[in-house]
Short mmCIF file of all heavy atoms in Angstrom, two decimals:
data_model
loop_
_atom_site.label_atom_id
_atom_site.label_comp_id
_atom_site.label_asym_id
_atom_site.label_seq_id
_atom_site.Cartn_x
_atom_site.Cartn_y
_atom_site.Cartn_z
N GLY A 579 -13.28 -19.97 9.43
CA GLY A 579 -12.24 -20.11 8.41
C GLY A 579 -11.44 -18.81 8.30
O GLY A 579 -12.00 -17.72 8.38
N HIS A 580 -10.13 -18.95 8.13
CA HIS A 580 -9.29 -17.75 7.97
C HIS A 580 -8.27 -17.99 6.85
O HIS A 580 -7.63 -19.04 6.80
CB HIS A 580 -8.58 -17.45 9.30
CG HIS A 580 -7.57 -16.35 9.18
ND1 HIS A 580 -7.95 -15.02 9.14
CD2 HIS A 580 -6.22 -16.37 9.05
CE1 HIS A 580 -6.85 -14.27 9.00
NE2 HIS A 580 -5.79 -15.08 8.94
N HIS A 581 -8.12 -17.02 5.95
CA HIS A 581 -7.11 -17.10 4.89
C HIS A 581 -5.76 -16.70 5.46
O HIS A 581 -5.60 -15.57 5.94
CB HIS A 581 -7.47 -16.18 3.72
CG HIS A 581 -8.67 -16.65 2.93
ND1 HIS A 581 -9.96 -16.40 3.32
CD2 HIS A 581 -8.74 -17.38 1.78
CE1 HIS A 581 -10.80 -16.94 2.44
NE2 HIS A 581 -10.08 -17.54 1.49
N VAL A 582 -4.80 -17.61 5.42
CA VAL A 582 -3.51 -17.34 6.07
C VAL A 582 -2.79 -16.21 5.32
O VAL A 582 -2.37 -15.22 5.93
CB VAL A 582 -2.64 -18.61 6.13
CG1 VAL A 582 -1.29 -18.31 6.79
CG2 VAL A 582 -3.36 -19.70 6.92
N ILE A 583 -2.62 -16.33 4.02
CA ILE A 583 -2.17 -15.17 3.23
C ILE A 583 -3.43 -14.35 3.00
O ILE A 583 -4.37 -14.80 2.35
CB ILE A 583 -1.55 -15.58 1.89
CG1 ILE A 583 -0.36 -16.51 2.11
CG2 ILE A 583 -1.10 -14.34 1.10
CD1 ILE A 583 0.18 -17.12 0.83
N PRO A 584 -3.47 -13.14 3.56
CA PRO A 584 -4.73 -12.39 3.52
C PRO A 584 -5.20 -12.12 2.09
O PRO A 584 -4.38 -11.86 1.20
CB PRO A 584 -4.38 -11.07 4.23
CG PRO A 584 -3.14 -11.35 5.01
CD PRO A 584 -2.40 -12.42 4.27
N MET A 585 -6.51 -12.19 1.88
CA MET A 585 -7.07 -11.99 0.55
C MET A 585 -6.70 -10.62 -0.03
O MET A 585 -6.66 -10.44 -1.23
CB MET A 585 -8.60 -12.14 0.59
CG MET A 585 -9.07 -13.57 0.77
SD MET A 585 -8.51 -14.65 -0.57
CE MET A 585 -9.50 -14.05 -1.93
N PHE A 586 -6.42 -9.66 0.86
CA PHE A 586 -6.06 -8.34 0.36
C PHE A 586 -4.75 -8.36 -0.43
O PHE A 586 -4.46 -7.48 -1.22
CB PHE A 586 -5.97 -7.33 1.52
CG PHE A 586 -5.91 -5.91 1.03
CD1 PHE A 586 -7.03 -5.36 0.43
CD2 PHE A 586 -4.76 -5.16 1.14
CE1 PHE A 586 -6.99 -4.05 -0.06
CE2 PHE A 586 -4.72 -3.85 0.67
CZ PHE A 586 -5.84 -3.29 0.06
N GLN A 587 -3.96 -9.43 -0.24
CA GLN A 587 -2.71 -9.56 -0.99
C GLN A 587 -2.90 -10.10 -2.40
O GLN A 587 -1.95 -10.17 -3.18
CB GLN A 587 -1.76 -10.51 -0.22
CG GLN A 587 -1.10 -9.88 0.98
CD GLN A 587 -0.05 -8.86 0.58
OE1 GLN A 587 0.45 -8.88 -0.54
NE2 GLN A 587 0.26 -7.95 1.48
N GLN A 588 -4.13 -10.49 -2.76
CA GLN A 588 -4.35 -11.10 -4.07
C GLN A 588 -3.81 -10.26 -5.22
O GLN A 588 -3.28 -10.77 -6.19
CB GLN A 588 -5.85 -11.39 -4.28
CG GLN A 588 -6.18 -12.16 -5.56
CD GLN A 588 -5.58 -13.57 -5.57
OE1 GLN A 588 -6.05 -14.46 -4.92
NE2 GLN A 588 -4.50 -13.76 -6.34
N LYS A 589 -3.93 -8.95 -5.11
CA LYS A 589 -3.48 -8.06 -6.18
C LYS A 589 -1.99 -8.23 -6.51
O LYS A 589 -1.56 -7.92 -7.61
CB LYS A 589 -3.78 -6.61 -5.81
CG LYS A 589 -3.08 -6.14 -4.56
CD LYS A 589 -3.54 -4.76 -4.11
CE LYS A 589 -2.91 -4.42 -2.76
NZ LYS A 589 -3.32 -3.12 -2.26
N ASN A 590 -1.21 -8.73 -5.54
CA ASN A 590 0.24 -8.86 -5.78
C ASN A 590 0.67 -10.21 -6.33
O ASN A 590 1.83 -10.39 -6.67
CB ASN A 590 1.00 -8.62 -4.48
CG ASN A 590 0.93 -7.17 -4.03
OD1 ASN A 590 0.89 -6.27 -4.88
ND2 ASN A 590 0.89 -6.94 -2.75
N TYR A 591 -0.25 -11.18 -6.40
CA TYR A 591 0.16 -12.54 -6.77
C TYR A 591 -0.69 -13.11 -7.90
O TYR A 591 -1.87 -12.80 -8.03
CB TYR A 591 0.09 -13.47 -5.54
CG TYR A 591 1.06 -13.03 -4.47
CD1 TYR A 591 0.63 -12.31 -3.37
CD2 TYR A 591 2.42 -13.28 -4.62
CE1 TYR A 591 1.53 -11.88 -2.41
CE2 TYR A 591 3.33 -12.85 -3.66
CZ TYR A 591 2.88 -12.14 -2.57
OH TYR A 591 3.77 -11.71 -1.63
N ASN A 592 -0.05 -13.97 -8.68
CA ASN A 592 -0.76 -14.59 -9.80
C ASN A 592 -1.42 -15.91 -9.42
O ASN A 592 -2.19 -16.46 -10.19
CB ASN A 592 0.19 -14.82 -10.98
CG ASN A 592 0.65 -13.49 -11.56
OD1 ASN A 592 -0.11 -12.52 -11.56
ND2 ASN A 592 1.90 -13.42 -12.01
N PHE A 593 -1.09 -16.47 -8.24
CA PHE A 593 -1.77 -17.69 -7.81
C PHE A 593 -2.96 -17.32 -6.94
O PHE A 593 -3.00 -16.24 -6.36
CB PHE A 593 -0.80 -18.63 -7.06
CG PHE A 593 -0.22 -18.04 -5.80
CD1 PHE A 593 -0.81 -18.25 -4.57
CD2 PHE A 593 0.94 -17.27 -5.86
CE1 PHE A 593 -0.28 -17.71 -3.40
CE2 PHE A 593 1.48 -16.72 -4.71
CZ PHE A 593 0.87 -16.94 -3.48
N LYS A 594 -3.94 -18.25 -6.87
CA LYS A 594 -5.18 -17.95 -6.15
C LYS A 594 -5.01 -18.09 -4.64
O LYS A 594 -4.57 -19.12 -4.16
CB LYS A 594 -6.30 -18.89 -6.63
CG LYS A 594 -7.09 -18.31 -7.78
CD LYS A 594 -8.20 -19.26 -8.21
CE LYS A 594 -9.46 -18.99 -7.41
NZ LYS A 594 -10.57 -19.86 -7.83
N LEU A 595 -5.38 -17.04 -3.92
CA LEU A 595 -5.31 -17.11 -2.46
C LEU A 595 -6.56 -17.76 -1.87
O LEU A 595 -6.54 -18.26 -0.75
CB LEU A 595 -5.14 -15.70 -1.88
CG LEU A 595 -3.86 -14.97 -2.26
CD1 LEU A 595 -3.77 -13.65 -1.52
CD2 LEU A 595 -2.64 -15.82 -1.95
N ASP A 596 -7.66 -17.74 -2.64
CA ASP A 596 -8.87 -18.42 -2.17
C ASP A 596 -8.74 -19.89 -2.51
O ASP A 596 -9.31 -20.38 -3.48
CB ASP A 596 -10.12 -17.80 -2.81
CG ASP A 596 -11.39 -18.19 -2.07
OD1 ASP A 596 -11.30 -18.46 -0.85
OD2 ASP A 596 -12.47 -18.23 -2.69
N ASP A 597 -7.92 -20.57 -1.69
CA ASP A 597 -7.54 -21.96 -1.94
C ASP A 597 -7.62 -22.68 -0.59
O ASP A 597 -7.21 -22.11 0.43
CB ASP A 597 -6.09 -21.97 -2.48
CG ASP A 597 -5.60 -23.36 -2.83
OD1 ASP A 597 -5.61 -24.26 -1.94
OD2 ASP A 597 -5.17 -23.54 -3.98
N VAL A 598 -8.13 -23.89 -0.61
CA VAL A 598 -8.32 -24.61 0.65
C VAL A 598 -7.00 -24.75 1.42
O VAL A 598 -6.97 -24.75 2.66
CB VAL A 598 -9.02 -25.97 0.40
CG1 VAL A 598 -8.08 -26.96 -0.28
CG2 VAL A 598 -9.60 -26.55 1.70
N ASN A 599 -5.89 -24.81 0.69
CA ASN A 599 -4.58 -24.93 1.34
C ASN A 599 -4.11 -23.62 1.97
O ASN A 599 -3.08 -23.58 2.64
CB ASN A 599 -3.53 -25.42 0.35
CG ASN A 599 -3.84 -26.81 -0.12
OD1 ASN A 599 -4.06 -27.70 0.70
ND2 ASN A 599 -3.91 -27.00 -1.43
N ASN A 600 -4.84 -22.54 1.70
CA ASN A 600 -4.52 -21.26 2.33
C ASN A 600 -5.54 -20.92 3.42
O ASN A 600 -5.52 -19.83 3.95
CB ASN A 600 -4.48 -20.16 1.25
CG ASN A 600 -3.97 -18.84 1.79
OD1 ASN A 600 -3.05 -18.81 2.62
ND2 ASN A 600 -4.58 -17.74 1.37
N ILE A 601 -6.43 -21.89 3.73
CA ILE A 601 -7.46 -21.61 4.73
C ILE A 601 -7.25 -22.52 5.94
O ILE A 601 -6.99 -23.71 5.79
CB ILE A 601 -8.88 -21.84 4.14
CG1 ILE A 601 -9.10 -20.90 2.95
CG2 ILE A 601 -9.96 -21.59 5.21
CD1 ILE A 601 -10.38 -21.18 2.16
N VAL A 602 -7.32 -21.94 7.12
CA VAL A 602 -7.25 -22.73 8.35
C VAL A 602 -8.52 -22.51 9.15
O VAL A 602 -9.22 -21.52 8.97
CB VAL A 602 -6.03 -22.35 9.24
CG1 VAL A 602 -4.73 -22.81 8.62
CG2 VAL A 602 -6.02 -20.85 9.51
N SER A 603 -8.82 -23.47 10.06
CA SER A 603 -9.96 -23.32 10.97
C SER A 603 -9.43 -22.79 12.29
O SER A 603 -8.43 -23.28 12.79
CB SER A 603 -10.61 -24.69 11.22
OG SER A 603 -10.88 -25.33 9.99
N LEU A 604 -10.09 -21.79 12.80
CA LEU A 604 -9.63 -21.20 14.07
C LEU A 604 -10.80 -21.07 15.04
O LEU A 604 -11.93 -20.79 14.61
CB LEU A 604 -9.04 -19.80 13.82
CG LEU A 604 -7.77 -19.72 12.97
CD1 LEU A 604 -7.38 -18.26 12.76
CD2 LEU A 604 -6.61 -20.47 13.63
N CYS A 605 -10.51 -21.27 16.32
CA CYS A 605 -11.53 -20.97 17.33
C CYS A 605 -11.69 -19.44 17.36
O CYS A 605 -10.78 -18.72 16.92
CB CYS A 605 -11.12 -21.53 18.70
SG CYS A 605 -9.77 -20.64 19.49
N PRO A 606 -12.84 -18.95 17.84
CA PRO A 606 -13.07 -17.49 17.78
C PRO A 606 -11.97 -16.68 18.47
O PRO A 606 -11.61 -15.61 18.00
CB PRO A 606 -14.42 -17.33 18.51
CG PRO A 606 -15.09 -18.64 18.40
CD PRO A 606 -14.00 -19.68 18.37
N ASN A 607 -11.42 -17.23 19.54
CA ASN A 607 -10.38 -16.49 20.26
C ASN A 607 -9.10 -16.36 19.43
O ASN A 607 -8.53 -15.27 19.29
CB ASN A 607 -10.09 -17.20 21.58
CG ASN A 607 -9.34 -16.29 22.53
OD1 ASN A 607 -9.75 -15.15 22.72
ND2 ASN A 607 -8.26 -16.78 23.09
N CYS A 608 -8.66 -17.48 18.83
CA CYS A 608 -7.47 -17.44 17.98
C CYS A 608 -7.72 -16.55 16.75
O CYS A 608 -6.82 -15.86 16.27
CB CYS A 608 -7.06 -18.84 17.54
SG CYS A 608 -6.30 -19.80 18.87
N HIS A 609 -8.95 -16.59 16.24
CA HIS A 609 -9.26 -15.78 15.06
C HIS A 609 -9.15 -14.29 15.38
O HIS A 609 -8.56 -13.52 14.63
CB HIS A 609 -10.66 -16.12 14.51
CG HIS A 609 -10.83 -15.70 13.09
ND1 HIS A 609 -12.03 -15.69 12.44
CD2 HIS A 609 -9.94 -15.22 12.18
CE1 HIS A 609 -11.87 -15.26 11.20
NE2 HIS A 609 -10.61 -14.95 11.02
N ARG A 610 -9.66 -13.90 16.54
CA ARG A 610 -9.53 -12.49 16.98
C ARG A 610 -8.06 -12.16 17.16
O ARG A 610 -7.58 -11.09 16.81
CB ARG A 610 -10.28 -12.25 18.29
CG ARG A 610 -11.76 -11.98 18.17
CD ARG A 610 -12.05 -10.66 17.49
NE ARG A 610 -12.43 -10.85 16.11
CZ ARG A 610 -12.33 -9.95 15.14
NH1 ARG A 610 -11.85 -8.75 15.40
NH2 ARG A 610 -12.68 -10.22 13.92
N GLU A 611 -7.34 -13.13 17.75
CA GLU A 611 -5.92 -12.89 18.04
C GLU A 611 -5.15 -12.58 16.76
O GLU A 611 -4.38 -11.61 16.70
CB GLU A 611 -5.31 -14.11 18.74
CG GLU A 611 -3.87 -13.90 19.16
CD GLU A 611 -3.27 -15.10 19.89
OE1 GLU A 611 -4.05 -15.93 20.42
OE2 GLU A 611 -2.03 -15.19 19.94
N ILE A 612 -5.39 -13.36 15.70
CA ILE A 612 -4.60 -13.16 14.49
C ILE A 612 -4.96 -11.84 13.79
O ILE A 612 -4.14 -11.22 13.12
CB ILE A 612 -4.70 -14.36 13.52
CG1 ILE A 612 -3.50 -14.34 12.58
CG2 ILE A 612 -6.00 -14.40 12.74
CD1 ILE A 612 -3.23 -15.62 11.90
N HIS A 613 -6.18 -11.38 14.00
CA HIS A 613 -6.55 -10.09 13.40
C HIS A 613 -6.17 -8.91 14.28
O HIS A 613 -5.90 -7.83 13.77
CB HIS A 613 -8.06 -10.04 13.10
CG HIS A 613 -8.43 -10.81 11.86
ND1 HIS A 613 -8.21 -10.32 10.60
CD2 HIS A 613 -8.99 -12.03 11.70
CE1 HIS A 613 -8.63 -11.21 9.71
NE2 HIS A 613 -9.10 -12.27 10.34
N SER A 614 -6.17 -9.10 15.60
CA SER A 614 -6.08 -7.93 16.48
C SER A 614 -4.91 -7.91 17.46
O SER A 614 -4.65 -6.87 18.06
CB SER A 614 -7.36 -7.80 17.31
OG SER A 614 -8.49 -7.91 16.48
N SER A 615 -4.20 -9.00 17.61
CA SER A 615 -3.18 -9.04 18.67
C SER A 615 -1.98 -8.16 18.34
O SER A 615 -1.64 -7.95 17.17
CB SER A 615 -2.71 -10.48 18.86
OG SER A 615 -1.59 -10.50 19.72
N ASP A 616 -1.32 -7.67 19.39
CA ASP A 616 -0.07 -6.91 19.20
C ASP A 616 1.07 -7.85 18.83
O ASP A 616 2.07 -7.43 18.26
CB ASP A 616 0.30 -6.17 20.49
CG ASP A 616 -0.66 -5.02 20.76
OD1 ASP A 616 -1.36 -4.62 19.82
OD2 ASP A 616 -0.71 -4.56 21.92
N ASN A 617 0.97 -9.10 19.22
CA ASN A 617 2.04 -10.05 18.92
C ASN A 617 1.48 -11.28 18.22
O ASN A 617 0.96 -12.19 18.85
CB ASN A 617 2.78 -10.45 20.20
CG ASN A 617 3.89 -11.42 19.90
OD1 ASN A 617 4.23 -11.67 18.73
ND2 ASN A 617 4.46 -12.00 20.93
N LYS A 618 1.61 -11.29 16.88
CA LYS A 618 1.01 -12.37 16.10
C LYS A 618 2.04 -13.42 15.69
O LYS A 618 1.73 -14.35 14.96
CB LYS A 618 0.38 -11.79 14.82
CG LYS A 618 -0.73 -10.80 15.13
CD LYS A 618 -1.16 -10.02 13.91
CE LYS A 618 -2.18 -8.97 14.30
NZ LYS A 618 -2.41 -7.99 13.27
N MET A 619 3.30 -13.23 16.14
CA MET A 619 4.36 -14.09 15.60
C MET A 619 4.16 -15.57 15.93
O MET A 619 4.33 -16.41 15.06
CB MET A 619 5.72 -13.61 16.08
CG MET A 619 6.30 -12.58 15.11
SD MET A 619 7.58 -11.65 15.87
CE MET A 619 8.98 -12.19 14.95
N ASP A 620 3.80 -15.88 17.19
CA ASP A 620 3.66 -17.28 17.58
C ASP A 620 2.60 -17.98 16.74
O ASP A 620 2.82 -19.07 16.21
CB ASP A 620 3.30 -17.40 19.07
CG ASP A 620 4.47 -17.00 19.95
OD1 ASP A 620 5.60 -16.95 19.41
OD2 ASP A 620 4.25 -16.74 21.15
N ILE A 621 1.47 -17.33 16.60
CA ILE A 621 0.37 -17.94 15.87
C ILE A 621 0.73 -18.06 14.38
O ILE A 621 0.44 -19.06 13.73
CB ILE A 621 -0.95 -17.17 16.15
CG1 ILE A 621 -2.17 -18.00 15.74
CG2 ILE A 621 -1.02 -15.85 15.47
CD1 ILE A 621 -3.48 -17.44 16.30
N LEU A 622 1.45 -17.08 13.86
CA LEU A 622 1.84 -17.15 12.44
C LEU A 622 2.86 -18.25 12.20
O LEU A 622 2.81 -18.95 11.19
CB LEU A 622 2.39 -15.80 11.96
CG LEU A 622 1.35 -14.68 11.78
CD1 LEU A 622 2.03 -13.37 11.41
CD2 LEU A 622 0.31 -15.06 10.72
N ASN A 623 3.78 -18.43 13.16
CA ASN A 623 4.77 -19.52 13.03
C ASN A 623 4.05 -20.85 12.89
O ASN A 623 4.37 -21.67 12.02
CB ASN A 623 5.66 -19.61 14.28
CG ASN A 623 6.56 -18.40 14.42
OD1 ASN A 623 6.69 -17.61 13.48
ND2 ASN A 623 7.16 -18.24 15.58
N LYS A 624 3.03 -21.02 13.72
CA LYS A 624 2.27 -22.27 13.72
C LYS A 624 1.52 -22.45 12.38
O LYS A 624 1.58 -23.50 11.75
CB LYS A 624 1.30 -22.20 14.90
CG LYS A 624 0.34 -23.35 15.00
CD LYS A 624 0.81 -24.35 16.03
CE LYS A 624 0.10 -25.68 15.80
NZ LYS A 624 0.30 -26.62 16.84
N LEU A 625 0.81 -21.41 11.96
CA LEU A 625 -0.01 -21.52 10.74
C LEU A 625 0.87 -21.68 9.50
O LEU A 625 0.51 -22.37 8.55
CB LEU A 625 -0.93 -20.29 10.59
CG LEU A 625 -1.96 -20.12 11.71
CD1 LEU A 625 -2.88 -18.95 11.42
CD2 LEU A 625 -2.77 -21.40 11.93
#
Side-chain angles (χ1 to χ4, degrees):
H580 173 78
H581 290 83
V582 180
I583 302 172
M585 287 300 290
F586 193 68
Q587 283 289 339
Q588 186 63 76
K589 61 188 174 181
N590 291 327
Y591 297 101
N592 293 326
F593 61 93
K594 269 180 88 178
L595 297 185
D596 196 27
D597 182 304
V598 71
N599 295 309
N600 188 38
I601 300 171
V602 289
S603 309
L604 295 176
C605 72
N607 197 49
C608 286
H609 200 191
R610 277 293 101 203
E611 184 178 340
I612 201 162
H613 282 283
S614 311
S615 171
D616 289 343
N617 180 9
K618 299 168 185 166
M619 271 162 113
D620 290 344
I621 197 166
L622 287 176
N623 293 348
K624 175 100 198 190
L625 297 184

